[in-house]
Amino acid sequence: MHVRDLLQVDSLDLTLLWGEGSLLDREIRGVTTTDLADPTGLVRPGELVLSGLGWWAPGDDHTQADRFVAALRSAGAAALLAAEKAPGEIPGALVDACRAYETVLVAVPARTTFRAVTEAVRPDERRAADELVALVDAGPADGAALDAALRSCGLPASGPYRVVVATLGGADGDGAVSALVEVLRHSPGEPFAAGGLPGGEAVAVVPATPEAERRCERTPPDDVWPAPHALRQAPLHAGVSAPAAAAEGLGSALEQARYALAAARSEAPDGSRVVRVDDLSTMGPLFAGVPADVRRAFSSRVLGPLARGGSASHRMLLETLEVFLAQHGSWSRTAEKLRLHVNTVHYRIQRIEMLTGRDLSRLDHKLDLRAALLCR
């Protein structure tokens, strides 16, 4: 696609502010988004540069605009697309700078998202997203290759980012990707790249800038997650990583998101659920992400005969242990809850200690037993 072709896409409603002749016939070879005051080193020849003009402040003189546009010209950018917050709000100094440095300048109306522009330039964006998530999934990647993959998806080459992993029960990878895209599009104007991996996983890379985080707080994924589930009548689960400071951390973020996804499946096997790694602040949700066979093995090893026995006396001891730990080791409160004499509680706790080999006067042993109960 050439710059002139992009201007003719009616749905984008772009306005040419400056550009003429052969400059409009330049081929667009990529897309990059930046709000840095100095984009030197970020832009490659033939790229379309999308900017929200976050680097511009009212009252700035021509120096800042000249520096920004000079960097684009030096890098060989095909054109600059600047976002308007309101019609006619593109700074005159920026128009002058683009004219002086012979760089095409196009205004993007507030109703047109940068993602829409990127999709118009690159209709086969799903292929680019698939390549990005495959690169992240493969492990430590060459930095240049990862930067190029991010740019090809219209994502910034610098972090932070979050990774989202989703599955749609009973559906193939394409169904999961479609459902994930549907949810992420509820954050208007926020870029993301969503692709699929073998096994039915849908993976998205989303910038975790402060503004993006604030938008997520206003419209959290929990609010919109049930919609695709209701439409497809299938359980939709997702895990969200903690922010990765740089592209090199995307592989680790993917593993975090998978762990949170396992927790989501465990907590709501038959319904929609999204779990963030940030929310794993207690042992219950944390252990939910551990594979079921590992949880069972741990529980059996720690509880010993109490885990394996099905007798009424063992069930009674398990109940006493749960109440005792819930009451922070208080003999009197445990006796009150169970309607027992304190001496009976003492006897039962002694039996539990003998059968498990744990000392309930020790904090670490209490934690082991509490974890074993949660992992049953």
Side-chain angles (χ1 to χ4, degrees):
M1 174 180 277
H2 299 85
V3 176
R4 192 185 304 275
D5 300 325
L6 183 65
L7 292 170
Q8 294 173 355
V9 178
D10 292 338
S11 61
L12 299 179
D13 197 21
L14 304 177
T15 301
L16 177 65
L17 298 182
W18 190 86
E20 57 189 15
S22 61
L23 294 176
L24 299 178
D25 294 322
R26 296 194 63 182
E27 182 180 358
I28 301 173
R29 299 178 181 176
V31 180
T32 190
T33 303
T34 181
D35 268 328
L36 293 178
D38 183 2
T40 301
L42 294 177
V43 182
R44 299 187 180 187
E47 283 191 331
L48 197 70
V49 177
L50 309 178
S51 180
L53 304 185
W55 49 269
W56 176 267
D60 283 354
D61 58 18
H62 283 67
T63 303
Q64 186 58 62
D66 286 348
R67 183 184 298 120
F68 186 86
V69 179
L72 302 188
R73 170 63 185 272
S74 177
L80 168 62
L81 270 66
E84 290 182 318
K85 294 182 180 178
E89 279 197 354
I90 302 300
L94 184 59
V95 179
D96 294 340
C98 287
R99 182 182 294 109
Y101 288 96
E102 296 187 329
T103 298
V104 175
L105 175 62
V106 177
V108 182
R111 61 182 172 278
T112 300
T113 66
F114 280 173
R115 179 174 177 82
V117 175
T118 302
E119 289 179 341
V121 172
R122 193 181 296 106
D124 194 17
E125 187 166 313
R126 170 64 190 275
R127 171 188 280 183
D130 284 344
E131 291 174 353
L132 171 62
V133 299
L135 192 62
V136 172
D137 184 50
D142 174 76
L146 197 52
D147 287 349
L150 287 164
R151 285 196 181 95
S152 70
C153 293
L155 295 174
S158 59
Y161 313 92
R162 286 188 189 265
V163 173
V164 184
V165 181
T167 57
L168 185 66
D172 57 17
D174 286 340
V177 173
S178 297
L180 180 56
V181 168
E182 182 179 341
V183 171
L184 293 177
R185 280 181 175 165
H186 280 270
S187 296
E190 204 58 55
F192 63 86
L197 288 174
E201 285 183 331
V203 180
V205 177
V206 184
T209 60
E211 176 57 29
E213 297 289 276
R214 285 193 291 271
R215 288 179 181 175
C216 185
E217 288 175 2
R218 291 195 294 269
T219 309
D222 314 65
D223 293 348
V224 296
W225 206 254
H229 174 206
L231 179 64
R232 294 171 174 81
Q233 293 298 305
L236 182 61
H237 301 103
V240 183
S241 75
E248 292 77 11
L250 286 172
S252 176
L254 176 59
E255 291 307 309
Q256 292 178 19
R258 281 176 169 151
Y259 191 93
L261 170 63
R265 287 170 168 167
S266 177
E267 291 179 11
D270 300 319
S272 64
R273 185 80 169 96
V274 55
V275 171
R276 303 175 183 82
V277 167
D278 299 344
D279 296 333
L280 300 179
S281 56
T282 60
M283 286 197 297
L286 181 65
F287 291 148
V290 177
D293 55 346
V294 176
R295 294 199 308 271
R296 286 192 296 268
F298 172 79
S299 181
S300 177
R301 177 68 182 85
V302 174
L303 292 175
L306 294 182
R308 297 186 292 274
S311 68
S313 62
H314 283 167
R315 290 194 296 272
M316 175 188 68
L317 291 176
L318 282 173
E319 179 188 21
T320 302
L321 176 60
E322 289 177 338
V323 174
F324 183 74
L325 294 174
Q327 297 304 316
H328 311 293
S330 169
W331 305 97
S332 59
R333 288 199 300 270
T334 301
E336 181 182 352
K337 287 286 184 181
L338 294 174
R339 298 181 179 179
L340 298 172
H341 193 279
V342 172
N343 289 343
T344 303
V345 175
H346 276 276
Y347 169 75
R348 290 185 181 181
I349 294 301
Q350 289 173 355
R351 286 281 298 160
I352 292 168
E353 290 175 329
M354 184 189 71
L355 291 170
T356 63
R358 307 284 164 155
D359 181 353
L360 280 165
S361 67
R362 291 178 50 174
L363 176 61
D364 56 340
H365 285 191
K366 287 179 182 176
L367 291 175
D368 289 343
L369 289 167
R370 174 61 177 158
L373 291 172
L374 290 171
C375 286
R376 283 187 302 163

